[in-house]
Amino acid sequence: MKAILLCILGWMSITVTGSASVMPELDWPAGIPGERIVAAHGLEIWVHGQAGWHIELATDLVGLEYGLGADFYPLTKPLTGETDQGETLAVRLARILPWEEAGTYQGAFDIRCLTGVALVTLQRATGIYILPLASSDFVLIWDDHVISLNQDEWIFFAPTQYTTLAVEWLGKRVFSSGNLDGQALQLADVYREPAVLMWSATSFSAQVGQVFSVELRVDQVRLQDPIVFGFSDSLLPIGTWEVNGVQFAWQHRDGDYVLQEDLGAGPYVLRGQVLPLVYRHPSKGWIQASLGAHSARLYGHIESGWFGGEGLVILRVSAEGNPVRQHHFLVPPHNQVRTTDAQGILTISLPPGVWSIVSHDERVDPRWVVVQSHQIQIVDIEVANNEQYQGREPTDSFAVWDFTWEQGFTWNFHLETPRLKLMFAERDANTSLHFQGDGVQARYAGREAQAGETLVTFTSRVPKAVENYRLGDWQWIGRAGQWQGRLESGKWSFTTGLNPDHSQWDFSLSNGDGRMFVQLPQKRAGFSLKKDHFTAGLEYEDSDGIQWWMRDTSEHWRIQQRAKRYQIQIRSQWWEYPLTWQLDWENLRRWDFQLSLDHEEDKAVLQLVRDQRDVTVFGLWQRYMQLASGGFSLSVASQYRSQVLQSEVICRKHVALTDASALYLQWKGQWAGTRFGQITSLDFLWSPHRVGYLKLGWQSDAGFHWQGGLTFVRWP
């Protein structure tokens, strides 16, 4: 966005021209050469970018700076950060006056948003200047009017009468003027005729199966034509719709929903509910209203919700037919070290994608697995020697390099030793670094740092000296001003803690069958008792009140009450399948019941959730079968809400072609009410020498795609 910078020695102003009538100016107080002078009015910049935002300021005038907090920075340093909620930056402009002769100096001044979106505002006594950057989804709300703001174009509002002004982006309010000098704002040079059809929100965001409400305003005295509504395949109007508080019935015409009734005098407000459907898993949906030559379309984002769960990878490790317990693996996504259980099994939950799994004990190249939503995949791993790994701790060092090509290039480096951890990542042109050693941590955030924050942070944790005293039967340990004392007598044990600097004190008394404690000034106290195979406890906390719990020591059942909610959990066995029953209860209009089955090749969940509006039923069944030609997995996910049943069935066949290649064939069928859709996909995975992989795929609704990656693991 181009601007004109006007500088007269002793005072200075910035003038930004978007049109002949829009002239935002910033005034500086008088100054002398070599002195930093700050503009009387600063800019407010609202920024948003989940994957990072990047704003650059530029000028050809010498000495211009911007300030955040107490610090000033040259314009060559961009404003960067990352936020999925949005934040507002208070930016001051300043200049160190050069040693120039008195006169008038002009120069170009740019404000650019390279990634993310931004809204720049400048408030003056004469009015408000607004500049949307990198998005055409900003809208202005003024009295009963809603207008769209043009991207990269200044707009000006002058104070003339009492009202307020606000700007929203995708339904989120990002700027509100409040009252300006006892007055408010009216559109000046850019007044536009209010639309006949206006959605109250600028967008919507919802999950499959979660009902949301919409509101449409119709600014007409009397309707001469019917209002026609159209919904994308992923949306379904449900329940009772009303206009000005009176219910009406839809008429159907060629797939559209038509309102054609005598509604009396206007204007009108239509309200109703919409249900997002699982149909085709869309990420975007829309609702369009039409009245004669007028139309308004509401766009939104739809998440998969219940139907977008992670997949399960089950590793079964054996040696000479016997399960290998405590076998260590480096598992994604952060190279965590995890071990197999007594049956030689390790279960990992991962989002859809291609992942590498590395045996920490074998020290061989990685194994690649393709994970799909709600699918179980069993990977059988045969190791050479069962006794070789028993009880061995993963104390050795390792280094992992990851390179991935999928809609862009990303790479990561992870080095770990018993006394050192180093992680380096490059994604979407952003670099981050994390270092951790003995008592020392350092972090370089790159574009992830908030504007004004130091990009490099360094902390040192020096161990505090420990003081140890014995006074009679008491054992006292002190560190950094905190003291803990312990007194033992037979089965009884008494402990107390003191922190004089923060006026904190606590004590506990326990033996083999019970314990009681008090913590001050937190106002927390309680006790617990153990008898044979039964344990019970009672606690009081100032914030949550009284809570209690009971359970058996083998965890077959548990009952507890906390923060006015009751929870009952029972574990049982049905044939060889372990079952878990759980009820979470607040009142008759808010409760949650869940029954789950967890077996190696079968997993199922049945859940009923009652909220203030409705009862929702969730169901999921997953099954894996090992065949001679590979593996076959089946999953059925269902959701019933607002008298609409939605289901998704996924069948997946995995065929190992060679030791280095595999074929994945998947069919997905989706039912949403009376709608049915199906998607077929075929993926070929090739991983030569296990170091890298190449995946070629085809999907019936998206066409061809590809993905590649390399992983190098090195041991000392």
Side-chain angles (χ1 to χ4, degrees):
M1 182 64 221
K2 292 292 183 182
I4 303 300
L5 179 65
L6 175 64
C7 172
I8 301 178
L9 196 61
W11 69 274
M12 183 168 58
S13 67
I14 289 183
T15 304
V16 184
T17 57
S19 66
S21 60
V22 179
M23 303 284 287
E25 294 184 352
L26 296 178
D27 297 329
W28 274 262
I32 60 175
E35 179 184 44
R36 175 186 287 126
I37 56 176
V38 181
H41 298 85
L43 303 174
E44 285 190 355
I45 306 178
W46 178 86
V47 290
H48 180 282
Q50 185 172 3
W53 52 266
H54 185 105
I55 296 177
E56 290 187 351
L57 310 175
T59 184
D60 52 11
L61 284 176
V62 178
L64 196 63
E65 302 175 328
Y66 71 89
L68 287 170
D71 300 320
F72 285 88
Y73 306 93
L75 296 193
T76 55
K77 176 181 172 60
L79 288 82
T80 59
E82 177 179 313
T83 174
D84 58 357
Q85 301 296 325
E87 63 176 304
T88 300
L89 310 176
V91 179
R92 295 170 296 151
L93 291 178
R95 193 185 186 204
I96 299 178
L97 291 180
W99 290 89
E100 297 173 339
E101 295 182 359
T104 300
Y105 301 89
Q106 291 185 339
F109 181 75
D110 293 340
I111 307 176
R112 297 179 180 179
C113 183
L114 302 185
T115 58
V117 298
L119 180 78
V120 182
T121 56
L122 168 63
Q123 298 197 44
R124 300 289 306 272
T126 56
I128 292 184
Y129 300 84
I130 297 177
L131 172 65
L133 294 175
S135 176
S136 59
D137 294 321
F138 287 99
V139 296
L140 174 75
I141 301 175
W142 170 66
D143 284 348
D144 294 329
H145 308 310
V146 178
I147 64 172
S148 298
L149 297 180
N150 295 329
Q151 177 179 331
D152 300 331
E153 180 180 302
W154 282 100
I155 192 168
F156 171 68
F157 308 96
T160 57
Q161 65 185 34
Y162 190 82
T163 184
T164 58
L165 176 145
V167 178
E168 289 187 356
W169 179 75
L170 297 180
K172 178 183 179 66
R173 180 153 298 191
V174 300
F175 172 77
S176 180
S177 68
N179 295 333
L180 185 63
D181 295 334
Q183 300 175 331
L185 305 170
Q186 180 184 17
L187 296 179
D189 303 308
V190 293
Y191 179 79
R192 302 176 188 177
E193 185 71 21
V196 173
L197 301 175
M198 295 175 292
W199 294 101
S200 297
T202 56
S203 66
F204 66 86
S205 179
Q207 289 188 355
V208 170
Q210 299 299 312
V211 177
F212 65 95
S213 300
V214 294
E215 180 180 279
L216 177 71
R217 300 176 184 177
V218 184
D219 189 10
Q220 282 205 344
V221 176
R222 183 172 293 275
L223 291 180
Q224 303 295 330
D225 300 305
I227 303 178
V228 181
F229 285 82
F231 297 84
S232 62
D233 289 337
S234 55
L235 297 175
L236 178 69
I238 63 168
T240 301
W241 284 55
E242 61 181 36
V243 53
N244 289 356
V246 179
Q247 298 180 4
F248 67 87
W250 290 111
Q251 297 183 23
H252 298 276
R253 182 190 303 168
D254 299 328
D256 292 328
Y257 294 78
V258 182
L259 169 59
Q260 190 168 15
E261 296 185 8
D262 184 5
L263 302 177
Y268 311 95
V269 177
L270 285 79
R271 295 184 177 91
Q273 295 180 337
V274 182
L275 177 68
L277 303 176
V278 68
Y279 187 69
R280 294 194 183 278
H281 274 336
S283 60
K284 294 183 178 180
W286 52 264
I287 308 171
Q288 178 167 304
S290 302
L291 176 62
H294 304 281
S295 65
R297 177 170 286 196
L298 178 68
Y299 290 94
H301 177 73
I302 302 175
E303 297 180 353
S304 299
W306 174 256
F307 298 94
E310 297 185 338
L312 292 177
V313 177
I314 301 176
L315 306 180
R316 296 191 302 198
V317 183
S318 61
E320 301 176 355
N322 299 313
V324 177
R325 61 182 180 87
Q326 296 183 357
H327 190 94
H328 302 93
F329 287 92
L330 299 179
V331 300
H334 303 297
N335 292 319
Q336 297 171 311
V337 179
R338 296 182 56 186
T339 61
T340 56
D341 59 18
Q343 286 73 43
I345 294 176
L346 174 60
T347 301
I348 309 167
S349 179
L350 293 170
V354 182
W355 300 97
S356 63
I357 298 175
V358 181
S359 170
H360 192 288
D361 294 330
E362 280 191 302
R363 301 187 180 182
V364 296
D365 291 329
R367 294 170 171 84
W368 299 94
V369 293
V370 179
V371 179
Q372 295 289 351
S373 179
H374 281 165
Q375 299 300 292
I376 298 176
Q377 184 171 179
I378 295 182
V379 180
D380 290 307
I381 299 176
E382 182 75 16
V383 297
N385 188 344
N386 187 20
E387 301 296 332
Q388 180 179 354
Y389 313 112
Q390 295 295 318
R392 190 175 84 177
E393 293 296 327
T395 56
D396 296 329
S397 306
F398 65 87
V400 180
W401 291 267
D402 289 311
F403 304 90
T404 304
W405 291 266
E406 182 188 17
Q407 298 178 352
F409 173 71
T410 63
W411 65 273
N412 300 275
F413 173 70
H414 184 173
L415 171 66
E416 190 159 334
T417 71
R419 302 180 64 181
L420 173 67
K421 178 184 290 187
L422 176 65
M423 290 182 288
F424 200 93
E426 176 80 16
R427 183 180 183 89
D428 298 331
N430 180 63
T431 302
S432 62
L433 170 67
H434 179 78
F435 169 84
Q436 181 176 334
D438 287 343
V440 177
Q441 291 191 38
R443 177 178 177 266
Y444 172 73
R447 231 178 40 212
E448 295 178 357
Q450 302 298 317
E453 175 187 355
T454 304
L455 294 182
V456 180
T457 58
F458 179 87
T459 59
S460 177
R461 297 177 298 170
V462 180
K464 302 294 184 182
V466 177
E467 301 177 77
N468 198 326
Y469 300 98
R470 177 172 290 276
L471 300 175
D473 294 330
W474 282 90
Q475 179 74 30
W476 288 92
I477 298 177
R479 173 181 292 179
Q482 300 184 30
W483 289 90
Q484 185 179 61
R486 183 180 184 88
L487 173 65
E488 294 186 358
S489 178
K491 292 184 177 181
W492 292 91
S493 175
F494 179 81
T495 61
T496 182
L498 299 172
N499 189 339
D501 295 338
H502 297 85
S503 301
Q504 294 178 351
W505 174 73
D506 65 81
F507 79 86
S508 65
L509 180 65
S510 62
N511 63 13
D513 298 324
R515 175 179 179 267
M516 64 175 296
F517 68 90
V518 174
Q519 294 179 352
L520 297 175
Q522 296 93 328
K523 297 181 182 179
R524 183 168 179 259
F527 70 89
S528 61
L529 297 173
K530 179 180 178 183
K531 187 66 175 178
D532 296 330
H533 302 291
F534 172 80
T535 303
L538 178 70
E539 293 185 11
Y540 171 82
E541 193 166 355
D542 194 37
S543 57
D544 295 332
I546 297 177
Q547 57 186 351
W548 55 267
W549 52 269
M550 296 184 295
R551 65 175 176 85
D552 71 335
T553 54
S554 57
E555 294 288 351
H556 286 141
W557 60 269
R558 179 184 179 93
I559 305 174
Q560 69 177 20
Q561 181 269 331
R562 180 182 179 89
K564 299 181 181 181
R565 295 185 68 92
Y566 296 87
Q567 187 181 87
I568 302 174
Q569 186 180 87
I570 301 174
R571 300 181 186 274
S572 62
Q573 194 82 10
W574 181 63
W575 295 75
E576 72 271 19
Y577 301 106
L579 300 176
T580 301
W581 310 70
Q582 182 169 307
L583 175 63
D584 197 338
W585 175 282
E586 182 174 344
N587 52 51
L588 288 174
R589 299 184 61 84
R590 191 177 296 274
W591 49 265
D592 185 338
F593 170 77
Q594 181 172 308
L595 171 62
S596 58
L597 179 150
D598 191 352
H599 190 258
E600 181 177 330
E601 297 181 352
D602 287 278
K603 299 182 184 298
V605 175
L606 174 64
Q607 186 175 9
L608 285 77
V609 179
R610 172 72 160 125
D611 56 24
Q612 297 290 345
R613 178 181 295 175
D614 204 350
V615 176
T616 305
V617 181
F618 302 94
L620 174 63
W621 175 60
Q622 301 166 276
R623 170 72 170 169
Y624 179 86
M625 291 171 282
Q626 187 68 47
L627 306 177
S629 58
F632 178 80
S633 62
L634 172 67
S635 71
V636 180
S638 297
Q639 179 173 319
Y640 180 79
R641 182 182 176 91
S642 302
Q643 300 180 349
V644 177
L645 175 63
Q646 303 189 59
S647 298
E648 181 179 77
V649 177
I650 302 177
C651 302
R652 185 169 183 249
K653 182 72 171 68
H654 163 225
V655 180
L657 303 177
T658 66
D659 291 340
S661 62
L663 199 63
Y664 297 87
L665 176 63
Q666 179 173 289
W667 177 85
K668 179 190 297 183
Q670 297 169 327
W671 290 264
T674 58
R675 306 182 188 185
F676 170 74
Q678 57 180 338
I679 301 174
T680 304
S681 62
L682 180 66
D683 291 314
F684 171 74
L685 182 70
W686 181 52
S687 53
H689 307 294
R690 293 186 179 175
V691 172
Y693 75 91
L694 176 66
K695 190 184 80 166
L696 304 176
W698 172 84
Q699 193 165 300
S700 58
D701 64 336
F704 290 94
H705 60 272
W706 72 278
Q707 177 182 347
L710 294 170
T711 292
F712 299 98
V713 183
R714 291 295 178 265
W715 316 91

